[in-house]
Amino acid sequence: MAKELDGFKFEQRHGKAKVRVGRVWRSKDGRRHFMVEWKVNISLLSNCVAAYVRDDNSDIVATDTMKNTVYVKAKECSEPLSAEEFAIILGKHFTSFYPQVFTAIVKVVEKPWERVSVNGQPHEHGFKLGSDKHVVEAIVQKSGILQLTSSIEGLALLKTTKSGFEGFIRDKYTALPETRERMLATEVTASWRYSYESVSSIPQNPLYFNDRHLNVRQVLADTFFGPPEGGVYSASVQSTLFQMAKAVLSRFTDISSVKLKMPNIHFLPVNLSSEDNGNIVKFNDDVYHPTDEPHGSIEASLSRFWSKM
């Protein structure tokens, strides 16, 4: 919230960034372990202007206190829970415990630790690092109003056929040939806004958002690839992006909007020849030069009409 000070507009917030916490839970018999690793960023909007203009720190929540609060709240969570649920718990604490704090913005990045299997059996306490990250931002107001966004970062997808690019603008600067046969590769960043508008309205299952995250991830991948036999043709990255976003909103009624960023990571056909050898390598949809510099950059968002995104 902006204030007028000495003829200027003044806005401020403060917080603690990159608080790393690991949490392990054990089953009742102690044998099966569950774990998460989170990196937490906290930003508080509060009435502490006096610290800036009068050297009065009496309304400041120390950032070291914020760090300690992350560990205390992780300890208090006696059962496994989602990153979304943990972000909301922190936001509720800061806005209710401190009278001067009116909004808490909590971002949680979950490192992709996955349970390993040995001889086809899930290991009781063994984990390996996956690829794409689960990212959450919860904006919690003192009134209980909530804005909750979840994201997937680094979801790498590739198919070796059923992709093309034709009919685009051609002018004197255009060298790209049209094609109905190419590889399609991307690294998806997907974020979606939930329709829950208050802390009290979220589902009471502490792992609900974990399940929703995995389900959204699966819908995105399934739409990109199409059926196992035959797949689905992609006329452009733009077309595939739209179908992926549409599939998410069609499947999940508690998601109000979705935004996708899909760089077009190129696999360029390789043809090599020399004066002595006309075909050192003759391209036949088989040998490529992978490169992501430069790459195409495609992004779009899709929202329901009533969404506030």
Side-chain angles (χ1 to χ4, degrees):
M1 182 181 297
K3 292 182 178 291
E4 186 176 331
L5 292 174
D6 299 328
F8 300 99
K9 186 173 75 171
F10 179 65
E11 296 182 71
Q12 57 79 28
R13 64 178 64 183
H14 75 291
K16 196 72 166 180
K18 297 184 178 180
V19 181
R20 296 181 63 176
V21 56
R23 180 65 161 99
V24 175
W25 295 274
R26 295 168 178 82
S27 60
K28 291 182 179 180
D29 61 8
R31 296 179 59 183
R32 188 172 180 84
H33 293 193
F34 305 85
M35 68 85 62
V36 293
E37 181 183 343
W38 290 324
K39 183 166 64 178
V40 181
N41 292 345
I42 300 162
S43 186
L44 302 184
L45 282 64
S46 63
N47 297 314
C48 62
V49 175
Y52 295 86
V53 300
R54 293 197 296 273
D55 297 336
D56 179 358
N57 297 331
S58 59
D59 285 328
I60 286 185
V61 181
T63 65
D64 189 69
T65 301
M66 299 182 204
K67 177 202 69 177
N68 294 340
T69 302
V70 172
Y71 299 126
V72 172
K73 293 301 175 183
K75 175 68 174 180
E76 290 177 356
C77 295
S78 58
E79 299 290 338
L81 76 166
S82 66
E84 288 87 349
E85 188 79 23
F86 188 63
I88 292 170
I89 287 172
L90 289 173
K92 286 170 59 179
H93 168 79
F94 287 115
T95 54
S96 62
F97 192 77
Y98 299 102
Q100 65 272 41
V101 175
F102 52 87
T103 302
I105 303 170
V106 182
K107 181 178 179 181
V108 179
V109 180
E110 182 170 326
K111 206 165 184 177
W113 290 108
E114 303 170 350
R115 189 179 301 277
V116 300
S117 292
V118 177
N119 296 326
Q121 181 177 345
H123 202 281
E124 290 180 341
H125 55 263
F127 299 84
K128 64 181 178 66
L129 195 60
S131 54
D132 48 285
K133 295 179 180 178
H134 181 182
V135 182
V136 173
E137 183 182 76
I139 303 176
V140 181
Q141 297 184 29
K142 189 178 288 292
S143 63
I145 292 175
L146 171 69
Q147 295 179 36
L148 182 63
T149 304
S150 294
S151 304
I152 296 170
E153 294 183 0
L155 177 60
L157 304 174
L158 178 151
K159 59 183 184 180
T160 55
T161 188
K162 292 287 184 175
S163 173
F165 191 48
E166 302 175 285
F168 50 88
I169 294 173
R170 304 201 69 87
D171 55 39
K172 64 181 180 179
Y173 303 109
T174 304
L176 184 69
E178 297 189 0
T179 182
R180 287 189 61 83
E181 178 58 45
R182 66 173 183 171
M183 291 179 67
L184 179 58
T186 188
E187 191 171 281
V188 180
T189 298
S191 61
W192 56 96
R193 171 88 173 267
Y194 285 102
S195 58
Y196 306 108
E197 295 186 344
S198 68
V199 170
S200 60
S201 68
I202 64 171
Q204 295 306 300
N205 177 357
L207 293 176
Y208 175 86
F209 293 108
N210 270 7
D211 293 338
R212 179 64 80 241
H213 171 86
L214 293 174
N215 290 336
V216 169
R217 185 182 187 275
Q218 191 65 54
V219 166
L220 290 170
D222 289 352
T223 307
F224 178 89
F225 293 118
E229 295 184 4
V232 62
Y233 181 73
S234 170
S236 64
V237 178
Q238 287 87 341
S239 173
T240 297
L241 181 154
F242 177 76
Q243 293 302 324
M244 292 165 68
K246 183 180 177 182
V248 170
L249 291 186
S250 298
R251 174 77 178 273
F252 307 111
T253 58
D254 61 350
I255 294 177
S256 61
S257 57
V258 59
K259 181 177 182 180
L260 296 178
K261 296 181 180 180
M262 292 176 56
N264 189 5
I265 300 173
H266 302 298
F267 279 71
L268 305 177
V270 173
N271 277 298
L272 295 179
S273 62
S274 69
E275 292 182 359
D276 298 328
N277 187 342
N279 289 312
I280 299 175
V281 172
K282 180 174 176 56
F283 180 70
N284 189 24
D285 298 322
D286 52 2
V287 179
Y288 301 83
H289 172 214
T291 178
D292 60 1
E293 295 183 0
H295 63 249
S297 178
I298 296 93
E299 59 183 274
S301 61
L302 190 66
S303 307
R304 305 188 196 277
F305 281 112
W306 48 263
S307 172
K308 297 179 181 179
M309 184 172 185

Tab-separated table of all heavy atoms in Angstrom, residues 52 157 168 215:
chain	number	residue	atom	x	y	z
A	52	TYR	N	11.740	3.431	8.458
A	52	TYR	CA	12.387	4.086	7.332
A	52	TYR	C	12.590	5.580	7.578
A	52	TYR	O	13.590	6.151	7.129
A	52	TYR	CB	11.552	3.897	6.065
A	52	TYR	CG	11.446	2.463	5.588
A	52	TYR	CD1	10.461	1.612	6.093
A	52	TYR	CD2	12.329	1.957	4.634
A	52	TYR	CE1	10.362	0.300	5.652
A	52	TYR	CE2	12.232	0.633	4.193
A	52	TYR	CZ	11.246	-0.184	4.711
A	52	TYR	OH	11.156	-1.475	4.278
A	157	LEU	N	9.941	-31.914	-22.527
A	157	LEU	CA	9.138	-32.811	-23.357
A	157	LEU	C	9.691	-32.820	-24.779
A	157	LEU	O	10.111	-31.779	-25.290
A	157	LEU	CB	7.667	-32.347	-23.388
A	157	LEU	CG	6.943	-32.195	-22.047
A	157	LEU	CD1	5.555	-31.602	-22.261
A	157	LEU	CD2	6.842	-33.535	-21.338
A	168	PHE	N	3.570	-19.894	-42.648
A	168	PHE	CA	3.933	-18.682	-41.929
A	168	PHE	C	4.353	-17.591	-42.921
A	168	PHE	O	4.550	-17.849	-44.114
A	168	PHE	CB	5.051	-18.971	-40.926
A	168	PHE	CG	6.229	-19.722	-41.497
A	168	PHE	CD1	7.284	-19.041	-42.086
A	168	PHE	CD2	6.264	-21.116	-41.461
A	168	PHE	CE1	8.370	-19.722	-42.618
A	168	PHE	CE2	7.342	-21.809	-41.990
A	168	PHE	CZ	8.388	-21.110	-42.580
A	215	ASN	N	-1.464	-34.306	-11.286
A	215	ASN	CA	-2.485	-34.488	-12.315
A	215	ASN	C	-2.361	-33.459	-13.429
A	215	ASN	O	-2.515	-33.779	-14.615
A	215	ASN	CB	-3.885	-34.407	-11.694
A	215	ASN	CG	-4.201	-35.595	-10.812
A	215	ASN	OD1	-3.617	-36.668	-10.969
A	215	ASN	ND2	-5.099	-35.423	-9.863
